[in-house]
Amino acid sequence: MKLSISGKNMKIDDAMKEHIERRIYFALSRFSPRISRVSVVVEDINGPRGGIDKRCCILVKLDRLEELKVESTDAEI
């Protein structure tokens, strides 16, 4: 299972990256033989203005060319 983590309009520091990796591996490790790739994109929608503007999108590509996409928006990552 390959994992890629990126940020849009925000910087992903090492602590946040480690937290995301730990949570993804904890949640998906039992399915890893069926997963080829996981992409996580964290985005600050409206920049420094604040509010409910942090979005996390997780895309899981399975071996059989199927995809699962989960997206959530909240005030904090």
Side-chain angles (χ1 to χ4, degrees):
M1 176 171 70
K2 294 181 182 179
L3 175 62
S4 68
I5 300 170
S6 61
K8 285 186 179 179
N9 302 325
M10 66 184 304
K11 186 178 185 295
I12 304 292
D13 61 6
D14 290 337
M16 187 184 304
K17 186 174 181 177
E18 288 176 19
H19 177 73
I20 292 170
E21 287 175 354
R22 190 171 47 250
R23 296 292 304 259
I24 291 293
Y25 283 118
F26 178 77
L28 299 178
S29 63
R30 63 184 169 159
F31 304 109
S32 62
R34 296 181 177 172
I35 297 173
S36 61
R37 187 173 62 201
V38 178
S39 299
V40 179
V41 178
V42 181
E43 179 180 12
D44 189 353
I45 298 170
N46 64 4
R49 292 186 291 192
I52 301 175
D53 68 338
K54 307 294 188 285
R55 179 181 298 150
C56 179
C57 179
I58 302 171
L59 181 66
V60 179
K61 295 210 178 212
L62 303 174
D63 285 340
R64 289 183 271 149
L65 302 176
E66 297 173 315
E67 293 182 347
L68 300 171
K69 183 177 181 180
V70 178
E71 199 171 291
S72 179
T73 305
D74 204 340
E76 294 184 25
I77 295 175

